[in-house]
């Protein structure tokens, strides 16, 4: 009997992709999928510890009013769980320490980066070392992009993937490291799991293939264990052939390419490695 | 005492906003600005210590990787001009609110009980050789809207480089001195009555003022008022409440008026356009559909409801927010979209929101003439409205799937901002049908969501007038999508748990409308305004009642469930307050601190407004027929047409809207080989594990109003329907929604041509009846906005009568849907529908500064037959691409089909079914309705021809593997040979900013 995969999709305060993220978990075969409002965690009605796969969906936490996910990150760091002295962030650190998986998409990725969970160099999950900032174009854009998976990456979510096609939908997705040293570490440890690329899979620095001007075309990064992963593009937006912008003119498989990310997560939790 | 935190980018980090502003300065003013940098400023009240300020600055307010901050000193000192822009007192400051919440959370232990307030502003630091006058022009012409924002300009000489700008707090200086004014209307003569209406911005006419006067003199009324401590005087609360409820905006007085309609030969009396043509057509269609009728709730609720399948219902509403968008394009449009969101959300038991649509009508963004007073440049309106809808839609997590932008310089005085939202609800919930409303006497009245401020006071009456000198600033609100998102998240949980009985939104008229309308379900209400949570002190009772502050819903809650409801709200960080209870007293009873301030009969409030009696006179206009030869340079003509604002690509706007959140998008707004072809309609899957879909499309043709609004309306309905059919919709499963935006059609000194304009309205309604019944597409809801004029000094600008017709429907299997892009070389190109010499009001004539008279006329009989056949062909998988012919006619549809597919095309005009004067340009550019360009695989030809037999269709050419678009003219010679890349470039360029 394989291990049960219990997925939690965290919502509230401005997230908006929770439904499709939960659906992606379902299609990927997770056994339990709960869409949980942040208040349920803060009121102690639901506990992170009961799950093995945390999904942080896209959206606009607090409107991204102070910069993407900034106020959201502040809440994780300072909101206390009712009846405990613990802050929510402490539960998150325990979750990571237990080797469980976290996937942040778009605003969820921005949240992970601003909390310091990603890239979490040297397992330091409390210091922000990279950021996601305003697109070079100065505008929000909804656009499909090609992504090249880094075969050398420890990322458990991108295992076996090569070139995939997902939409980006953001105004603040430009990946910027704090320093050249940070960038070097990300490169050396192959933490860049996804790069924006052209249709042939070559990393792209030119707009619009690189839609936001991300340094080194980085679209998604993981931590050193590969169990925490965040990306700007939306895999949960491509779950069925009809999501593809050219499905009426191309031969595509029925299953959307986004499911692979979630299936990798589910399979990893079921595996011995977990 | 307040402190300032300034946050800016570190050296070497790109300031994308600054660069964007620099581009706009260069585009709009051609000024030599070398660099623009931006700094965010947080002015914080609450006496925070230096350490606390630093903690806030380093924590939630800045990003350590890319930003620097300072506390009480200037951050950036390298500028030739510094402009700081902040809000005026009382204007919604969403970022300030978020910053306050973040700081409160951050300092919870250490800040104690002190009250923190945060106000935001932004600095623009300009480098370049420009004068103070130039800088002032940039400030008020681009960066600040002086109506809602204040700005300051500094040169280096005037700037204190040690301490920077002093902290300024935009307090609302209000004191709580609630007072209720009373007026005895009894002795007033006509002039005095009208003066009250004008002075108080009530927008009521004499008849209506007299009806009030009479009501307050009735003996029984006086006696009843005496018992609860009120005199025969009308209170200001009552006066304002009646003005809101009786406003054109809320009561649709013109649509419900009695109209004498005269044409050259005949006279007709119409008792209510709405009842006769709109409700009337829907009733007839429903009857004809019999068992196949899918309407569940029409015209009675905030939005229309139709059946999706046995388990789910679809809800749809389109609104306009024109007047506020004229004054504050960003805030007005943002409020427009989040406002219409609350309509389906507050319909029946409440619906989850699944998509937005938007249609804008603007003057040319390249407008170069002098602007009349109080009018913002159309480019600014364009950018502001676009951004407002972007923030409203994207931040709410609702995909914007369909829309368009129409240009005509008569929208200079008032832009039109149509925003639509659809909802999806289970057909039954907790054992009850969800599409109806029920309220019991004794149910608690609860308001939830945002707080009440002076924002949006007189919005309903304001939008019932033309834009004039005294148009109130407070009529503008700025929406807050996140407060609304939190509220809707909470209310959907409450709905599913059965915690409330009924729901409605607070829009125009505020509590006065929401509570007033809900009270009709049980027969009365009693509320105490002093219980309502306010944004700041100093509101008078009447202001609390009619404020249109955003993000609020009103609910009827079973008294047994109030505790649970409030507890859930608190947990989910949403405010909810009991304001009173619903009754069966027959009275709209309002108190302030337990003292009665309004006591009106429900019947008088809702049905007391006298019916208007208006005259309409139809005299068809005679426009000059143009006289110009066929073009010699066809390439130039095509590119000129593709670059017309009404034809060119709107991709730059579409891309900035999230059109696929919720992951159900099937036909996106942009399709084709390079994801940039213009879709005719949108298709989405609201249930992710089902292949059933929703189709949405629209039609709008205001240019034809210059000839005849009857045909304008017929064409708009046909366009909406054929757009939907083009992607695979079934004509028999479509419902419609009418949105009228008119110029004032009531004859007066200001509007001497009112009788003609009213006749235009009558004719439009007649077409609604004739064509919706012919197509069997019932209107399920709608709205009218009747005063889209600008009138200051001697300048009067009236919009062309504009009807937006939107359709929504069910698609059985989304996998059958088709897109408009050509798919493969050698596919056959067909035109469906006969082309006629109908260039009146066309883009081709407009290019030649002409209108003409031969407006396209819709032959509904032929169209209906063809739409059914086409649906069958699409369902059988025979159609590779399908594109509707609209603005610019056949050739624009052909070119778009070709370049969206990245393929060439060869077409011979002699095969195009055509009736009229034999001219190549007429065939190519005529805008005859009910036509499509279709491509099919050659192997599908026999089957396709068979299914389409009996319709005017013709194979006119083929898709080519080369990149050439070639057309053979009537004389048998090749008249057009253009590279598709060049055509596409001409089409993409104009609005690519």
């Amino acid at each position: 009997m394989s291990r049960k995969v219990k997925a939690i999709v965290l919502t509230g305060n401005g997230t908006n992709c929770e439904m499709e993220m939960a659906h992606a978990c379902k299609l990927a075969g997770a056994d339990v999928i709960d869409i949980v409002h942040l208040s349920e965690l803060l009121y102690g009605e639901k506990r992170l510890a009961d799950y093995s796969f945390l999904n942080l969906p896209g959206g606009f936490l607090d409107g991204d009013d102070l910069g993407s996910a900034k106020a959201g990150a502040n809440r994780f760091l300072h909101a206390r769980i009712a009846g405990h002295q613990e802050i929510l962030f402490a539960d998150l650190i325990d979750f990571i320490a237990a080797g469980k998986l976290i996937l942040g998409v778009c605003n969820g990725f921005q949240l992970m980066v601003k909390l310091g969970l990603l890239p979490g160099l040297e397992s330091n999950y409390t210091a922000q070392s990279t950021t996601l900032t305003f697109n070079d174009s100065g505008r929000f854009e909804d656009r499909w992009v090609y992504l090249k998976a880094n075969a050398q990456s420890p990322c458990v979510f991108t295992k076996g993937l090569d070139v995939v096609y997902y939409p980006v939908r953001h105004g603040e997705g430009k990946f910027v490291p704090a320093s050249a040293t940070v960038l070097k570490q990300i490169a050396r440890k192959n933490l860049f799991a996804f790069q924006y690329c052209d249709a042939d899979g070559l990393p792209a620095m030119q707009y619009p293939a690189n839609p936001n001007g991300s340094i080194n075309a980085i679209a998604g990064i993981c931590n050193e264990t590969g169990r925490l992963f965040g990306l700007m593009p939306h895999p949960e937006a491509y779950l069925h052939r009809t999501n593809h912008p050219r499905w009426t003119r191309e031969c595509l498989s029925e299953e959307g390419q986004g499911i692979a990310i979630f299936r990798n997560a589910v399979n990893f939790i079921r595996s011995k490695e977990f | 005492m307040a402190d300032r935190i300034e946050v800016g980018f570190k050296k070497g980090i790109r300031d994308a906003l600054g660069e964007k502003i620099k581009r706009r300065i260069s585009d709009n003013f051609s000024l030599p600005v070398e660099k623009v940098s931006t700094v965010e400023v947080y002015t914080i009240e609450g006496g925070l210590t230096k350490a606390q300020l630093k903690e806030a600055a380093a924590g939630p307010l800045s990003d350590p990787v890319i930003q620097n901050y300072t506390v009480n000193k200037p951050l950036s000192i390298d500028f030739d001009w510094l402009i700081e822009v902040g809000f005026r007192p009382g204007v919604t400051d969403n970022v300030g609110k978020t910053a306050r919440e973040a700081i409160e959370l951050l300092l919870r232990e250490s800040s104690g009980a002190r009250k923190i307030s945060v106000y935001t502003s932004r600095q623009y630091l300009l480098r370049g050789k420009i004068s103070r006058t130039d800088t002032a022009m940039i400030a008020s012409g681009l960066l600040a809207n002086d109506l809602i924002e204040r700005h300051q300009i500094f040169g280096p000489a005037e700037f204190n480089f040690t301490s920077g700008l002093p902290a300024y707090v935009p307090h609302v200086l209000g004191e709580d001195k609630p007072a209720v004014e009373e007026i005895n209307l009894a002795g007033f003569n006509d002039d005095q009555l009208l003066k009250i209406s004008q002075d108080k911005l009530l927008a009521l006419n004499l008849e209506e003022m007299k009806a009030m006067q009479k009501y307050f003199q009735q003996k029984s009324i006086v006696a009843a008022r005496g018992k609860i401590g009120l005199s025969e005087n009308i209170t200001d609360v009552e006066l304002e409440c009646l003005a809101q409820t009786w406003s054109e905006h809320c009561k649709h007085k013109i649509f419900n008026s009695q109209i004498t309609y005269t044409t050259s030969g005949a006279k007709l009396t119409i008792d209510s356009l709405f009842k006769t043509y709109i409700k009337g057509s829907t009733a007839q269609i429903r009857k004809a559909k019999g068992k196949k009728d899918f309407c569940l709730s029409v015209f009675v609720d905030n939005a229309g409801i139709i059946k999706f399948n046995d388990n789910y219902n679809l809800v749809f509403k389109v609104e306009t927010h024109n007047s506020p968008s004229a004054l504050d394009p960003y805030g007005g449009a943002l409020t427009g979209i989040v406002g219409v969101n609350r309509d389906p959300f507050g319909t029946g038991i409440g619906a989850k929101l699944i998509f937005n649509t938007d249609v804008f009508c603007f003057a040319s963004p390249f407008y170069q003439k002098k602007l009349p007073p109080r009018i913002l440049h159309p480019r600014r309106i364009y950018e502001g409205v676009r951004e407002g809808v972007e923030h409203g839609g994207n931040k709410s997590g609702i995909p914007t799937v369909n829309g368009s932008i129409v240009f005509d310089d008569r929208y200079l005085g008032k832009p039109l901002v149509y925003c639509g939202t659809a909802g999806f609800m289970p057909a039954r919930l907790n054992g009850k049908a969800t599409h109806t409303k029920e309220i019991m006497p004794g149910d608690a009245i609860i308001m939830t969501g945002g707080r009440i401020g002076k924002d949006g006071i007189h919005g309903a009456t304001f939008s019932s007038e033309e834009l004039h000198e005294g148009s109130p600033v407070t009529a503008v609100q700025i929406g807050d999508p996140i407060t609304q998102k939190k509220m809707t998240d909470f209310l959907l949980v409450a709905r599913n748990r059965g915690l409330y009985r009924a729901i409605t939104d607070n829009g125009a008229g505020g509590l006065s409308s929401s509570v007033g309308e809900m009270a009709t379900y049980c027969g009365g209400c009693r509320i105490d305004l002093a219980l309502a949570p306010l944004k700041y002190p100093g509101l008078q009772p009447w202001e609390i009642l009619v404020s249109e502050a955003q993000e609020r819903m009103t609910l009827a809650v079973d008294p047994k469930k109030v505790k649970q409801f409030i507890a859930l709200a608190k947990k989910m960080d949403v405010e909810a307050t009991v304001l009173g209870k619903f009754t069966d007293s027959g009275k709209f009873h309002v108190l302030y601190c337990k003292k009665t301030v309004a006591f009106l009969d429900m019947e008088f409030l809702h049905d007391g407004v006298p019916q208007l009696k208006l005259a309409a006179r139809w005299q068809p206009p005679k426009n000059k027929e143009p006289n110009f030869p066929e073009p010699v340079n066809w390439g130039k003509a095509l590119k000129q047409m593709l670059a017309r604002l009404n034809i060119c690509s709107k991709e730059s706007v579409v891309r900035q809207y999230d059109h696929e959140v919720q992951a159900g998008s099937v036909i996106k707004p942009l399709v084709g080989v390079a994801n940039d072809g213009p879709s005719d309609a949108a298709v989405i899957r609201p249930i992710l594990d089902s292949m059933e879909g929703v189709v949405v499309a629209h039609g709008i043709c205001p240019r034809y109003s210059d000839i005849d609004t009857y045909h304008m309306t017929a064409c708009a309905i046909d366009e909406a329907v054929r757009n939907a059919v083009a992607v695979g919709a079934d004509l028999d499963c479509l419902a419609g929604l009418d949105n009228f935006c008119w110029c004032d059609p009531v004859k007066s000194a200001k509007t001497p041509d009112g009788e003609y304009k009213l006749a235009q309205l009558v004719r439009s309604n007649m077409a609604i009846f004739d064509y919706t019944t012919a197509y069997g597409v019932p209107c399920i809801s709608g709205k009218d906005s009747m005063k889209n004029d600008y009138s200051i000094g001697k300048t009067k600008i009236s919009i062309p009568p504009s009807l937006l017709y939107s359709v929504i429907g069910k698609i059985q299997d989304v996998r059958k849907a088709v897109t408009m892009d050509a798919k493969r070389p050698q596919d056959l190109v067909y035109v469906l529908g006969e082309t006629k010499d109908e260039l009146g009001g066309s883009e081709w004539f407009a290019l030649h500064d002409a209108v003409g008279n031969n407006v396209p006329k819709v032959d509904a009989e032929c169209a209906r037959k063809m739409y059914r056949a086409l649906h069958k062909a699409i369902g059988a998988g025979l159609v590779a691409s399908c594109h509707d012919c609209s603005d610019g006619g056949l050739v624009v549809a052909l070119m778009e089909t070709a370049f969206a597919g990245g393929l060439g095309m060869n077409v011979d005009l002699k095969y195009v079914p055509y009736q009229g004067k034999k001219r190549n340009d007429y065939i190519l550019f005529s805008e005859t309705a009910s036509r499509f360009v279709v491509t099919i695989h050659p192997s599908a030809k026999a089957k396709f021809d068979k299914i389409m037999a009996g319709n005017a269709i013709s194979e006119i050419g083929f898709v080519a593997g080369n990149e050439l678009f070639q057309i053979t003219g009537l004389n048998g010679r090749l008249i057009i040979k253009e590279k598709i890349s060049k055509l596409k470039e001409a089409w993409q360029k104009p609005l690519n900013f």
Side-chain angles (χ1 to χ4, degrees), chain B residues 584-854:
Chain B
D584 53 5
S585 67
K587 302 286 182 191
F588 182 75
H589 189 176
V590 183
L591 302 95
Y592 186 86
C593 281
K594 297 182 185 159
K595 188 175 172 299
T596 297
V597 292
F599 193 67
L600 295 166
D601 282 289
M602 291 286 297
E603 205 187 332
F604 178 67
L605 179 64
H606 290 289
D607 303 317
V609 59
Q611 191 184 30
L612 287 176
K613 289 194 172 54
L614 302 171
R617 189 175 299 275
W618 176 244
Q619 178 82 48
K622 270 211 155 56
N623 301 306
K624 211 178 134 212
E625 283 297 337
N627 179 17
F628 60 87
E630 262 194 54
V632 183
N633 185 342
W634 274 99
K636 186 179 157 208
L638 291 186
K639 285 170 201 158
Q640 273 180 321
M641 283 296 277
L642 287 167
R644 301 272 307 162
L645 291 176
N646 286 324
I647 293 173
C648 72
S649 171
K650 314 294 185 292
E651 181 181 350
S652 68
V653 172
V654 175
R655 283 244 175 269
Q656 296 182 70
Y657 296 146
D658 186 334
H659 45 256
E660 46 202 332
V661 61
Q662 301 190 15
S665 100
V666 174
I667 303 290
K668 301 181 204 294
L670 297 166
V671 296
V673 68
N675 304 341
D676 55 10
S679 261
D680 290 322
V683 176
I684 64 154
R685 284 186 303 140
I687 311 169
L688 293 182
D689 45 19
S690 159
M691 288 301 138
E692 291 170 293
V694 179
V695 60
V696 59
H698 70 272
I700 182 166
C701 324
R703 277 177 290 114
Y704 303 153
S705 293
D706 291 336
I707 302 171
D708 188 345
T709 50
Y710 181 86
H711 298 296
M712 175 277 284
T713 304
C715 285
I717 296 170
D718 184 67
E719 185 182 18
V721 168
R722 88 178 170 260
N723 274 325
V725 170
V727 299
D730 178 354
L731 182 62
D732 296 320
C733 298
L734 291 177
L737 224 138
D738 57 277
N739 280 84
F740 290 84
C741 284
W742 234 251
C743 34
D744 186 2
V746 178
K747 189 179 174 180
S748 68
K750 278 188 301 191
T751 311
D753 55 350
E755 291 187 347
Y756 173 73
K757 287 172 173 169
L758 189 64
Q760 288 185 304
L761 184 67
V762 171
R763 294 184 65 72
S764 178
N765 274 275
M766 289 172 161
I768 292 250
F769 188 97
D770 293 350
Y771 285 89
T772 59
T773 50
Y775 285 147
V777 175
C779 295
I780 55 166
S781 182
K783 197 83 191 217
D784 59 276
S785 165
M786 303 305 294
K787 308 275 167 129
N788 293 290
D789 307 88
Y790 164 94
S791 171
I792 291 181
K794 281 187 184 149
T795 312
K796 176 158 182 176
I797 310 172
S798 297
I799 65 155
S802 307
L803 174 87
L804 171 68
Y805 200 75
S806 309
V807 295
I808 187 168
K810 157 114 185 255
I811 285 203
Q812 201 54 41
D813 183 348
V814 299
R815 289 167 295 195
K816 300 269 171 70
V818 296
T819 52
M820 51 70 64
D821 46 311
K823 303 295 187 296
R824 289 163 302 254
Q826 304 314 317
D827 274 6
L828 309 176
V829 177
Y830 273 72
V831 61
L832 315 187
E834 185 178 57
T835 301
K836 296 181 189 121
D837 173 349
E838 291 180 319
L839 286 109
S842 68
E843 282 291 326
W844 182 237
F845 273 15
L847 180 70
H848 294 86
D849 296 317
V851 175
N853 299 288
N854 289 337

Side-chain angles (χ1 to χ4, degrees), chain B residues 535-608:
Chain B
K535 291 184 180 176
Y536 36 76
L539 268 74
Q540 293 300 344
W542 72 266
E543 292 178 309
I544 299 172
L545 188 65
V546 303
S547 162
E548 295 177 10
Q550 293 292 297
E551 294 86 38
R552 294 180 296 144
M553 303 297 286
T554 298
L555 298 110
V557 178
D558 182 337
K560 291 199 285 286
K561 292 181 178 165
V562 169
K563 224 173 128 183
Q564 268 173 286
F565 183 88
I566 302 272
L568 181 66
K570 184 170 179 261
K571 190 182 103 178
M572 296 181 75
D573 196 19
V574 177
E575 204 158 14
T577 314
V578 177
L579 298 183
K581 63 179 183 184
F582 288 103
T583 66
D584 53 5
S585 67
K587 302 286 182 191
F588 182 75
H589 189 176
V590 183
L591 302 95
Y592 186 86
C593 281
K594 297 182 185 159
K595 188 175 172 299
T596 297
V597 292
F599 193 67
L600 295 166
D601 282 289
M602 291 286 297
E603 205 187 332
F604 178 67
L605 179 64
H606 290 289
D607 303 317

Side-chain angles (χ1 to χ4, degrees), chain B residues 447-467:
Chain B
M447 183 185 97
T448 186
R451 294 184 150 223
I452 297 178
K454 293 201 184 212
D455 30 358
I457 284 176
H458 284 145
T461 49
F462 159 59
S463 63
S464 305
E465 295 182 311
E466 83 278 14
L467 179 60

